[in-house]
Amino acid sequence: MLIRDEALRCIAAHYAGEIVVPVYTSAFEWLALRPDALNYLAVGAMGQASSHALGLALGCPDRRVLVFDGDGSLLMNLGSLVTIGAAAPRNLVHFVFQNGTYEANGGMPLPARGTLDFASIARVAGYAHCHTFDMLANLDLCLDDILAQDGPIFVDLRVTPGTTRYPQDYDRLHSAKARDEFRAALLGASADALPQDSDAGAQ
């Protein structure tokens, strides 16, 4: 099994300026490991990460969007997989950290714990590529190729919680300041990308 914060460190090592939508425990760990203004921190309702990420991916087609979902969160909004599959955003990579529990709500076990295959569900929902990993070395080896694929891409990470305790700064997570920083970074990133898109379209 992967250790969640080690998986996040691996993703951080391959990070190349993408918009990141992290939620709940993965959000606190990601903010400690890879702080960046392009971390989207406005997800409050459980299960809405994939829907927010889809909106960002459709609204910012020049930017790759990574969403760090939880398995419990995804079960709250499983229909979003079909919506994402139908919309077919080429720039969306949907990571699900599967540990079989509603961790943010006291670690209660999920229904069908141990038998859920989210990658198979995503595949029949219309995701272009689906992957499952439970070993860090394999994830590290494949991640660059995965991030270069046309999406939507689904990556099921079979994880256990890490042993390191990360600060859980809910005030930061839900602050207007974080939203303002994200908005400013997003506008700057999009403006920088426009000339490249125009050049490509003129060829």
Side-chain angles (χ1 to χ4, degrees):
M1 295 284 282
L2 288 158
I3 297 174
R4 185 178 50 234
D5 58 347
E6 290 184 356
L8 286 167
R9 284 193 188 93
C10 179
I11 297 170
H14 295 263
Y15 177 81
E18 297 89 351
I19 296 169
V20 178
V21 183
V23 295
Y24 296 103
T25 308
S26 66
F28 294 122
E29 295 180 355
W30 180 255
L31 291 177
L33 297 169
R34 190 64 178 80
D36 193 281
L38 282 173
N39 291 330
Y40 176 82
L41 303 177
V43 179
M46 190 170 184
Q48 296 304 308
S50 52
S51 297
H52 284 232
L54 173 60
L56 289 165
L58 295 176
C60 306
D62 57 306
R63 279 269 166 190
R64 190 160 288 264
V65 178
L66 314 182
V67 54
F68 298 157
D69 216 344
D71 49 356
S73 293
L74 180 56
L75 282 178
M76 294 287 188
N77 191 17
L78 201 57
S80 69
L81 295 180
V82 177
T83 305
I84 291 168
R90 298 174 61 186
N91 56 328
L92 178 61
V93 186
H94 190 170
F95 291 90
V96 172
F97 292 80
Q98 184 176 355
N99 66 2
T101 68
Y102 291 108
E103 187 174 351
N105 296 320
M108 298 299 293
L110 296 186
R113 177 178 179 173
T115 62
L116 275 171
D117 186 348
F118 285 107
S120 292
I121 298 171
R123 185 175 295 108
V124 298
Y127 278 65
H129 303 281
C130 299
H131 310 271
T132 300
F133 293 95
D134 59 8
M135 294 181 62
L136 185 64
N138 292 343
L139 175 64
D140 188 41
L141 182 65
C142 297
L143 202 49
D144 282 337
D145 289 338
I146 289 171
L147 294 176
Q149 291 175 332
D150 284 341
I153 301 161
F154 192 90
V155 184
D156 183 0
L157 302 176
R158 307 296 177 87
V159 302
T160 60
T163 56
T164 302
R165 294 286 297 173
Y166 293 87
Q168 296 195 352
D169 188 353
Y170 282 96
D171 289 339
R172 167 65 178 164
L173 207 64
H174 300 137
S175 69
K177 183 175 185 290
R179 292 193 295 274
D180 290 342
E181 289 173 354
F182 174 80
R183 185 181 298 110
L186 184 62
L187 291 173
S190 297
D192 291 342
L194 284 176
Q196 297 177 3
D197 289 349
S198 299
D199 291 345
Q203 292 177 356

